[in-house]
């Protein structure tokens, strides 16, 4: 009933009001710098001086940190452990675990990579939370992105929350028919079939219906399309984008030069 | 089996209070229509009857079971719930398996299950379609499969969530017939509907909700006559009721038969 079409949270903030392309470039800048800037503490510092302040500036710090704690930290933590154990670098062994050596170097290496992934995922989370997908896509389409491409992106962004909402209704419907979803593991594993069937069928039918609906509105028409909703792109945004692009180039250049 | 709702309140996690203090008793064997504008809290209310939603405060009792202390799977043996969209509940390869799913979950014996399934299929006129894949049927027939799959569970209480939406006249008549048969068997039927003609023709008691509260509750004849109050929840009395009013008939009429009788008496 209360379907969320995307991760987007509607707020009025400086970040929300930036042009969508600016936000996309900002996200890519954060990720690329985290991965290429040749200084060990770059990703860690980015979290402190960029990602957290940006989430505060965007008035989404609370939602953002909940997502980060629940979603990103476990994944980054897992990556950290795997790399700490299995990265065969360095000789300064801190402790042994059977045949696995954990060295100071592997620990440092793992820490940085985990932080890089953290920056990547959290920057994107921040982007998705502060940008309405349709706004992003209409802006990109206006700049010449093919409609098919933006459709693929936008439906991807929208489909997950829709599937979640849909699966909740299906679970409710099957529980109403006496399906036990709360007891033993085996009973629950068996009860997956009645849930997956309608979900897959329903999603496929929705895709088809949506395709027909957009075609009925002239999706593949070759005419220049107008937009009801103009997305502002002030000169501040344009300038900011160039600065960010310059930062990316600088970071990559430093990386190449020093390696 | 009675349904007792005591000062029920429900707030969604988003902070929206959908039900704000409803107390109702629905007697065994009653045919109740629940009407009201979108967002009046109809679906939220009935989802408490089989435990899909838990009261924020207040209580709902189905017979002697408190829904707070009973699992949905267990409540399913007393309350059947037909969802609005059949595609959200159908998954089997053929109609027969689909309809057998519910009674089998409730742990009925093989003989009892077979009997119930056969009766449900006959009632919904699906007996000749048992081998068909539900997704090869038209949406109207899929709706009937969804109905059959709940009726076969033989619950003393059956809930229909907007059964007539998107159905043609023939199928609406079929659904009305199913409800009449359930009534003969002494079952409680609760129906959410926006189809006020359907409501007038098939239900004895009407509950009108507005903004999470009961606006009107009583015999259909009385409720459907109260045009001004019903307007508060954007419900319009049936055409014949309104025509009867314009013609200044003494009593409130609900269907063709009553209307014609009233006219005949006056002539």
């Amino acid at each position: 009933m209360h379907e969320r079409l995307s991760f987007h949270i509607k707020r009025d903030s400086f970040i929300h009001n930036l042009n969508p392309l600016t936000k996309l470039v900002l996200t890519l800048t954060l990720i690329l710098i985290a991965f290429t800037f040749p200084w060990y503490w770059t990703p860690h510092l980015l979290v402190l001086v960029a990602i957290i302040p940006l989430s505060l500036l965007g008035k989404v710090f609370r939602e953002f940190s909940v997502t980060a704690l629940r979603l990103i930290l476990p994944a980054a933590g897992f990556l950290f452990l795997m790399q700490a154990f299995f990265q065969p670098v360095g000789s300064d062994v801190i402790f042994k675990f059977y045949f696995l050596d954990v060295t100071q170097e592997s620990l440092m290496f793992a820490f940085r990579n985990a932080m890089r992934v953290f920056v990547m995922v959290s920057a994107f989370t921040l982007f998705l939370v502060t940008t309405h997908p349709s706004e992003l896509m209409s802006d990109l389409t206006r700049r010449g992105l093919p409609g098919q491409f933006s459709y693929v992106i936008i439906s991807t962004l929208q489909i997950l929350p829709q599937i979640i909402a849909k699966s909740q209704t299906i679970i409710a419907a099957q529980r109403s028919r006496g399906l036990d979803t709360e007891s033993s593991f085996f009973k629950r594993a068996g009860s997956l079939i009645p849930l997956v069937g309608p979900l897959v069928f329903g999603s496929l039918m929705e895709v088809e219906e949506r395709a027909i609906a957009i075609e009925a509105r002239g999706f593949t028409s070759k005419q220049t399309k107008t937009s009801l909703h103009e997305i502002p792109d002030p000169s501040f945004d344009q300038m900011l984008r160039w600065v960010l692009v310059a930062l990316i180039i600088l970071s990559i250049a430093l990386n190449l030069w020093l390696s | 089996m009675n349904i007792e709702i005591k000062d029920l309140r429900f707030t969604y996690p988003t902070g929206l209070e959908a039900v704000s203090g409803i107390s109702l008793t629905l007697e065994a064997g009653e045919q109740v229509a629940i009407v009201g504008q979108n967002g009046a809290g109809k679906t939220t209310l009935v989802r408490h009857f089989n435990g899909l939603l838990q009261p924020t405060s207040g209580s709902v009792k189905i017979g002697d079971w408190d829904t707070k202390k009973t699992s949905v799977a267990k409540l399913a043996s007393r309350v059947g719930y037909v969802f609005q969209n059949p595609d959200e509940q159908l998954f089997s390869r053929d109609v027969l398996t689909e309809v057998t799913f519910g009674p089998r979950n409730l742990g009925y014996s093989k003989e009892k299950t077979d009997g119930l399934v056969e009766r449900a299929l006959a009632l919904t006129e699906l007996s000749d379609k048992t081998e068909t894949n539900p997704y090869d049927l038209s949406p109207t027939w899929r709706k009937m499969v969804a109905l059959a799959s709940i009726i076969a569970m033989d619950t003393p209480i059956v809930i229909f969530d907007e059964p007539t939406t998107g159905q043609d006249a023939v199928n609406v008549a079929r659904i009305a017939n199913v409800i009449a048969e359930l009534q003969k068997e002494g079952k409680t039927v609760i129906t959410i509907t926006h189809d006020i003609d359907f409501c007038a023709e098939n239900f004895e008691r009407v509950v009108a909700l507005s903004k999470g509260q009961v606006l009107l509750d009583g015999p259909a004849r009385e409720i459907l006559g109260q045009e001004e109050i019903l307007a508060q929840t954007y419900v319009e009395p049936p055409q014949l009721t309104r025509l009867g009013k314009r013609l200044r008939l003494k009593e409130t009429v609900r269907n063709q038969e009553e209307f014609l009788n009233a006219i005949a008496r006056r002539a």
Side-chain angles (χ1 to χ4, degrees), chain B residues 75-127:
Chain B
L75 279 164
S77 65
R78 289 194 173 175
V79 184
Y81 189 136
V82 183
F83 273 61
Q84 194 175 342
N85 181 357
D87 298 344
E88 279 160 356
Q89 84 185 54
L90 305 182
F91 65 92
S92 300
R93 240 175 266 163
D94 57 76
V95 170
L96 188 67
T97 322
E98 188 69 58
V99 178
T100 315
F101 179 72
R104 215 186 45 209
N105 278 337
L106 297 181
Y108 295 152
S109 70
K110 177 93 176 61
E111 296 75 44
K112 190 177 177 190
T113 303
D114 288 349
L116 288 171
V117 168
E118 199 174 312
R119 186 192 61 118
L121 289 171
L123 209 55
T124 47
E125 301 173 36
L126 284 164
S127 300

Side-chain angles (χ1 to χ4, degrees), chain A residues 1-2 166 169-182 193-195 197-199 201-202 205, chain B residues 12 16 43 47 50 52 71-73 76 79 81 83 87-91 98 101-102 105 135 149-150 153:
Chain A
M1 230 176 282
H2 301 274
K166 200 176 172 64
T169 317
I170 292 169
I171 289 171
Q174 305 303 20
R175 287 170 77 201
S176 309
R177 297 169 74 190
L179 182 72
D180 203 339
T181 53
E182 282 158 356
I193 300 159
L195 305 179
L199 190 63
F201 262 122
M205 289 200 299
Chain B
Y12 279 102
L16 176 83
T43 299
R47 284 198 178 184
N50 68 345
L52 285 176
S71 74
V72 178
V79 184
Y81 189 136
F83 273 61
D87 298 344
E88 279 160 356
Q89 84 185 54
L90 305 182
F91 65 92
E98 188 69 58
F101 179 72
N105 278 337
Y135 282 93
S149 70
I150 301 300
M153 291 163 69

Side-chain angles (χ1 to χ4, degrees), chain B residues 253 255-265:
Chain B
V253 295
N255 51 35
Q256 288 180 21
E257 200 187 332
E258 289 181 10
F259 180 78
L260 292 174
N261 283 341
I263 293 282
R265 247 174 282 149

Side-chain angles (χ1 to χ4, degrees), chain B residues 22 24 26 32-36 42 45 191 199 205-209 213-218 223 230:
Chain B
I22 288 185
L24 275 177
L26 307 176
V32 187
I34 299 180
V35 300
K42 305 183 294 291
L45 174 65
T191 303
C199 162
R205 178 174 171 190
V206 175
V207 176
L209 297 186
Q213 289 178 320
V214 176
L215 187 66
L216 289 169
D217 173 17
I223 304 302
L230 282 177

Side-chain angles (χ1 to χ4, degrees), chain A residues 86-213:
Chain A
F86 293 106
Q87 192 63 40
V89 292
S91 49
D92 191 1
V93 178
I94 296 175
F95 66 88
K96 274 181 174 296
F97 183 77
Y98 295 106
F99 59 96
L100 298 168
D101 293 341
V102 175
T103 63
Q104 200 189 343
E105 285 87 344
S106 71
L107 219 51
M108 296 279 278
F109 182 83
F111 189 36
R112 186 184 62 183
N113 277 4
M115 284 313 278
R116 280 178 171 174
V117 170
F118 185 85
V119 168
M120 179 166 81
V121 183
S122 59
F124 253 109
T125 311
L126 203 56
F127 173 63
L128 293 180
V129 162
T130 56
T131 313
H132 198 285
S134 59
E135 205 161 88
L136 170 71
M137 283 308 139
S138 51
D139 191 56
L140 292 185
T141 316
R142 190 175 58 87
R143 292 174 200 273
L145 189 78
Q148 281 86 343
F149 187 78
S150 56
Y151 173 70
V152 168
I153 302 282
I154 204 162
S155 55
T156 312
L157 290 182
Q158 287 183 347
I159 219 156
L160 199 63
Q162 272 177 356
I163 285 183
I164 291 169
K166 200 176 172 64
S167 62
Q168 275 165 354
T169 317
I170 292 169
I171 289 171
Q174 305 303 20
R175 287 170 77 201
S176 309
R177 297 169 74 190
L179 182 72
D180 203 339
T181 53
E182 282 158 356
S183 65
S184 76
F185 174 76
F186 284 104
K187 264 198 150 176
R188 276 187 295 166
S191 66
L192 265 179
I193 300 159
L195 305 179
V196 173
L199 190 63
V200 172
F201 262 122
S203 301
L204 287 177
M205 289 200 299
E206 255 167 39
V207 167
E208 192 190 3
E209 270 178 26
R210 200 182 304 191
I212 294 170

Side-chain angles (χ1 to χ4, degrees), chain B:
Chain B
M1 193 164 293
N2 288 2
I3 301 178
E4 274 209 42
I5 306 146
K6 276 211 190 104
D7 199 34
L8 176 69
R9 283 172 185 275
F10 181 79
T11 310
Y12 279 102
T14 51
L16 176 83
E17 191 179 63
V19 172
S20 13
I22 288 185
S23 295
L24 275 177
T25 303
L26 307 176
E27 306 281 344
E30 267 194 308
Q31 318 292 300
V32 187
I34 299 180
V35 300
Q37 70 193 91
N38 288 336
K42 305 183 294 291
T43 299
T44 310
L45 174 65
V46 299
R47 284 198 178 184
H48 281 85
F49 297 175
N50 68 345
L52 285 176
L53 295 177
Q54 292 292 336
T56 307
S57 72
S59 71
V60 177
K61 279 176 90 176
I62 309 297
D64 53 343
W65 292 353
D66 186 332
T67 59
K68 264 189 203 165
K69 294 176 191 125
T70 319
S71 74
V72 178
K74 194 174 171 202
L75 279 164
S77 65
R78 289 194 173 175
V79 184
Y81 189 136
V82 183
F83 273 61
Q84 194 175 342
N85 181 357
D87 298 344
E88 279 160 356
Q89 84 185 54
L90 305 182
F91 65 92
S92 300
R93 240 175 266 163
D94 57 76
V95 170
L96 188 67
T97 322
E98 188 69 58
V99 178
T100 315
F101 179 72
R104 215 186 45 209
N105 278 337
L106 297 181
Y108 295 152
S109 70
K110 177 93 176 61
E111 296 75 44
K112 190 177 177 190
T113 303
D114 288 349
L116 288 171
V117 168
E118 199 174 312
R119 186 192 61 118
L121 289 171
L123 209 55
T124 47
E125 301 173 36
L126 284 164
S127 300
D128 58 337
K129 297 183 175 66
T130 53
E131 312 262 292
T132 318
N133 186 319
Y135 282 93
D136 290 334
L137 293 169
S138 68
T140 49
W141 281 111
R142 279 213 290 281
K143 187 84 184 184
M144 295 315 280
V145 178
L147 253 67
S149 70
I150 301 300
I151 292 165
M153 291 163 69
D154 195 30
T155 52
I157 299 160
V158 185
I159 300 169
F160 297 102
D161 196 341
E162 301 203 19
T164 58
T165 308
Q167 305 293 314
D168 56 23
V170 180
N171 216 42
V172 170
R174 255 186 225 121
I175 294 168
N177 179 43
V178 168
I179 291 174
E181 286 297 322
L182 291 175
Q183 182 179 21
K184 276 187 209 153
E185 291 174 15
K187 298 193 185 304
T188 313
V189 179
I190 299 157
T191 303
I192 293 176
T193 187
H194 283 289
D195 182 343
I196 204 71
D197 291 315
F198 180 74
C199 162
E201 282 157 22
N202 297 290
F203 294 90
E204 286 308 318
R205 178 174 171 190
V206 175
V207 176
L209 297 186
S210 174
K211 300 181 184 106
Q213 289 178 320
V214 176
L215 187 66
L216 289 169
D217 173 17
R221 185 184 310 281
E222 280 172 28
I223 304 302
L224 295 173
Q226 313 208 29
E227 203 167 343
E228 294 78 26
I229 302 179
L230 282 177
Q232 286 175 29
T233 192
Y234 300 97
V235 170
E236 210 173 37
Q239 285 194 12
L240 278 176
T241 308
R242 281 180 283 147
L243 183 60
K245 268 215 154 149
R246 284 283 189 88
L247 293 172
R248 301 214 163 80
L249 297 179
K250 273 188 220 90
E251 63 265 59
T252 305
V253 295
R254 290 182 299 161
N255 51 35
Q256 288 180 21
E257 200 187 332
E258 289 181 10
F259 180 78
L260 292 174
N261 283 341
I263 293 282
R265 247 174 282 149
R266 209 168 69 155

